Amino acid sequence: MPALNGLMMETPLLVISLLEYAARYHGDTEIVSRTIEGPIHRYDYARCLKRTAQLAHALRSLGIGQGDRVATVAWNGYRHMELYYAAPGIGAVCHTINPRLHPDQIDYIVNHAEDRLLFVDLTFVPLIERVAQRLKSVEHFVVMTDAAHMPKTVLPNALCFEDLVAGRPETYEWPELDERAAALLCYTSGTTGNPKGVLYSHRSMMIYAMNICLGKSFGYGPTDVVLPVVPMFHVNAWGIPFGAPLGGSKLVYPGAKLDAENLFELLDNEKVTVTAGVPTVWAALIDYMRRTNRRLNSIRMLAIGGAAASRAMVDTFEREFGIHVVHGWGMTETSASATDTRLAPQEAALPYDDRLLFKTKQGRGRCFVDIKVIGEDGTELPRDGKSAGELCVRGPWIARGYYNDEAATRAAVDAEGWLHTGDVATIDARGYIQIVDRKKDMIKSGGEWISSIDLENAACGFPGVAEAAVIARPDPRWGERPLLVVRPAQGAKIPPKEILKYLADRVARYAVPDEVVFLDEIPHTATGKIAKRVLRQQLIADKKGAA
Ligand code: AMP
């Protein structure tokens, strides 16, 4: 018997429809941005759609058409949001570039993506000027400002954003595209080899946006005020510029000022209800709130992702500040989070300490995402909360390959369509995954695996520890031994013996580091994670400062 097709309309899922929806039904809901020029900018979804239409006309006037890549090097702000919609709206691709990368990598990425236009925030004009001559495919550089703030620049064919959009029609006949068409592009900053391009489709982004709007996820609604601290150049600000309009929520963009004081002001003044960012940002906010004795009262959910949330951090937010934390796991390749991070009723009903245990896990798979862990031989490991293996995922918002990079695709995606994440995890019987390490970050000591994440989380609980990292150090006897690196909080004195004793009470004996190194600054990658490779280079060659 042939399959019987349903008789429902096959309206393509296109991202522009999110902004059209928000403009029609939540037209006067605000989008607030801290601008690079200085003042706070406010407008609403109705105005945002009009300007997006103007920008779409401008892109067309520069010859941009379907499939063309339009790059951005920009902070979180309203002009960046307009690009998020205008480029995909006309069938082009919005390619967000991480400005914290080394200029050589930016050069590689732009050339690999063959970007035709590059939109740049004022802050990053000098950075792009340095590499502009090497960006062969770029026809125009557009500075994201108005005529009054337009800098003198050596960028070839430089244009001013506001001049470019001014006077153009405020409506656009958005084409009916194939929902599988590419909409956004983001390169992973990849710790090994060249950066790899993850090419999101309209369909993948729409399904993702709907998923994060579920009540059991972030549940964005019209009474929410959402502030993504996570940058728009890092995995599309975890989809918030798409999820918030779908929820009819007010949006707040922090611009370039991501220090704790400025962030606190914005969170407080705009009465933010949901915010999201990496642990480093939240550690600074905690420190600021403690020092100033200030509190945030409006937040109903604070999302931590991109790196593991330590027990100490979750505990501080929940117990000391009364802020509900949601912890999630994901990658550039998984459009942000692949795990559903809210506790199920069984876990939510547990005593506080046990609940905290589940909150520091990375959550359960979201609907539509298959998750498993595999052993060295590729077979699936039991979901027993103990068997650790490589985490593999597949689903409608997971990358099935890298843009124009067959070798990288072959290395990451297997014949059954599973993406091998390089993360090592366990899954318990209830489906909670726990990342125990990245494959290359595991420390093997005397034949036993040691999780650097467990050690870091534990060390973060010791008074006066602002940040902790654990790296593997070659050892003639054990093969490898963990080395603990600590950045003490301002003015804190940490006796090495005390912290090692503290750890001895919390981790297996063989896992207790032999040594602690104190640093004033721990290096971070462009996306805010601890740069272990840099740390290894720094400390394994030069052991100065070891206690
Ligand atoms: P990126 O593609 O730069 O977002 O990096 C993704 C990687 O960050 C993952 O493969 C993990 O190694 C790490 N990561 C993301 N979220 C978490 C988390 N909640 N806990 C531990 N590691 C995480």
Side-chain angles (χ1 to χ4, degrees):
M1 287 276 278
L4 182 62
N5 284 338
L7 280 173
M8 308 310 283
M9 296 183 191
E10 291 181 353
T11 314
L13 302 172
L14 303 177
V15 295
I16 191 67
S17 59
L18 296 171
L19 191 54
E20 288 187 301
Y21 163 78
R24 184 170 303 135
Y25 294 104
H26 304 278
D28 56 0
T29 297
E30 274 190 309
I31 300 170
V32 179
S33 309
R34 197 192 284 283
T35 63
I36 315 306
E37 295 87 346
I40 298 275
H41 175 275
R42 292 173 188 276
Y43 70 174
D44 55 27
Y45 280 116
R47 187 84 198 104
C48 179
L49 179 62
K50 285 182 181 161
R51 283 188 35 107
T52 300
Q54 292 184 302
L55 180 56
H57 285 290
L59 294 177
R60 293 291 299 130
S61 77
L62 293 173
I64 298 301
Q66 293 203 5
D68 284 331
R69 272 79 64 204
V70 174
T72 64
V73 185
W75 298 109
N76 294 6
Y78 67 103
R79 292 190 186 106
H80 206 172
M81 171 143 172
E82 289 160 10
L83 279 157
Y84 261 45
Y85 284 95
I90 63 167
V93 178
C94 178
H95 172 201
T96 55
I97 296 175
N98 187 341
R100 296 184 186 137
L101 294 174
H102 190 277
D104 287 348
Q105 282 190 313
I106 294 181
D107 171 0
Y108 171 85
I109 288 172
V110 173
N111 284 311
H112 188 268
E114 296 176 287
D115 296 315
R116 289 188 58 193
L117 300 179
L118 191 148
F119 284 74
V120 55
D121 256 344
L122 280 171
T123 325
F124 305 119
V125 169
L127 167 72
I128 297 304
E129 281 178 336
R130 258 187 283 152
V131 290
Q133 289 308 326
R134 289 184 268 150
L135 310 181
K136 299 291 177 231
S137 56
V138 177
E139 296 158 29
H140 289 279
F141 294 86
V142 186
V143 183
M144 296 166 73
T145 191
D146 54 21
H149 295 89
M150 190 66 187
K152 260 198 154 49
T153 175
V154 297
L155 289 175
N157 298 329
L159 299 169
C160 168
F161 189 104
E162 292 304 326
D163 289 351
L164 184 62
V165 298
R168 298 195 187 268
E170 292 183 340
T171 56
Y172 194 91
E173 205 57 44
W174 304 105
E176 187 163 301
L177 308 163
D178 184 331
E179 65 179 20
R180 292 167 302 179
L184 294 118
L185 175 63
C186 180
Y187 280 68
T188 67
S189 48
T191 43
T192 52
N194 281 323
K196 301 163 189 82
V198 178
L199 193 55
Y200 310 93
S201 63
H202 284 262
R203 176 186 146 85
S204 72
M205 196 43 75
M206 288 293 280
I207 300 175
Y208 183 70
M210 289 189 254
N211 207 282
I212 57 176
C213 276
L214 292 176
K216 73 197 269 292
S217 179
F218 295 108
Y220 299 129
T223 54
D224 274 319
V225 181
V226 190
L227 187 155
V229 187
V230 52
M232 290 170 84
F233 54 76
H234 183 208
V235 208
N236 313 311
W238 297 346
I240 291 172
F242 301 109
L246 176 56
S249 313
K250 170 175 162 180
L251 263 167
V252 183
Y253 289 123
K257 295 194 169 159
L258 298 175
D259 60 285
E261 187 176 351
N262 276 295
L263 217 47
F264 183 94
E265 294 303 336
L266 212 50
L267 290 165
D268 196 30
N269 291 345
E270 300 300 327
K271 310 245 174 310
V272 169
T273 61
V274 183
T275 183
V278 297
T280 317
V281 167
W282 301 134
L285 187 71
I286 285 176
D287 189 46
Y288 175 80
M289 292 199 290
R290 279 186 173 152
R291 271 192 290 115
T292 57
N293 205 19
R294 299 183 73 181
R295 296 287 182 272
L296 290 164
N297 300 316
S298 54
I299 296 183
R300 71 168 175 85
M301 200 182 286
L302 182 144
I304 307 180
S310 70
R311 188 185 167 94
M313 178 172 284
V314 180
D315 186 36
T316 303
F317 272 126
E318 301 240 331
R319 207 193 312 243
E320 197 173 323
F321 297 120
I323 292 177
H324 173 63
V325 168
V326 174
H327 177 208
W329 170 88
M331 309 167 75
T332 308
E333 290 87 334
T334 66
S335 308
S337 67
T339 56
D340 192 27
T341 53
R342 300 282 291 276
L343 297 187
Q346 290 93 320
E347 285 74 38
L350 291 170
Y352 180 79
D353 277 350
D354 298 336
R355 211 162 66 226
L356 218 56
L357 208 71
F358 282 97
K359 286 212 159 186
T360 49
K361 292 192 175 198
Q362 277 75 9
R364 307 204 288 178
R366 288 179 181 276
C367 180
F368 307 136
V369 176
D370 290 338
I371 298 193
K372 66 175 181 182
V373 287
I374 58 168
E376 298 270 307
D377 61 357
T379 55
E380 185 170 350
L381 297 176
R383 292 165 186 256
D384 56 9
K386 289 198 292 276
S387 308
E390 184 170 12
L391 185 66
C392 298
V393 289
R394 64 180 182 190
W397 61 78
I398 312 292
R400 65 180 162 85
Y402 293 102
Y403 179 60
N404 269 350
D405 195 336
E406 270 177 39
T409 298
R410 265 199 310 277
V413 183
D414 68 23
E416 291 168 3
W418 291 93
L419 174 83
H420 293 235
T421 66
D423 285 324
V424 178
T426 59
I427 308 180
D428 68 20
R430 301 263 309 133
Y432 286 87
I433 71 159
Q434 180 158 27
I435 305 289
V436 291
D437 228 314
R438 299 206 69 170
K439 250 171 132 183
K440 46 192 162 288
D441 256 351
M442 288 291 264
I443 298 161
K444 205 167 198 187
S445 184
E448 295 288 345
W449 289 110
I450 296 174
S451 159
S452 57
I453 290 180
D454 280 353
L455 277 173
E456 288 159 9
N457 284 348
C460 282
F462 190 82
V465 173
E467 202 175 9
V470 174
I471 52 171
R473 188 164 69 184
D475 184 272
R477 184 160 177 206
W478 303 102
E480 287 178 352
R481 289 295 301 149
L483 176 66
L484 175 63
V485 186
V486 165
R487 176 170 67 83
Q490 238 178 5
K493 274 250 160 299
I494 300 173
K497 275 197 186 132
E498 297 287 312
I499 189 168
L500 293 177
K501 190 166 162 292
Y502 176 87
L503 290 177
D505 292 334
R506 284 162 178 80
V507 298
R509 251 184 76 188
Y510 67 84
V512 179
D514 308 306
E515 231 173 37
V516 195
V517 173
F518 295 101
L519 294 181
D520 291 334
E521 204 59 61
I522 289 186
H524 291 95
T525 64
T527 49
K529 299 175 208 303
I530 293 171
K532 298 236 173 141
R533 203 153 47 96
V534 179
L535 212 48
R536 266 184 225 114
Q537 282 164 354
Q538 199 176 321
L539 294 173
I540 304 307
D542 167 17
K543 289 195 286 170
K544 274 199 296 256

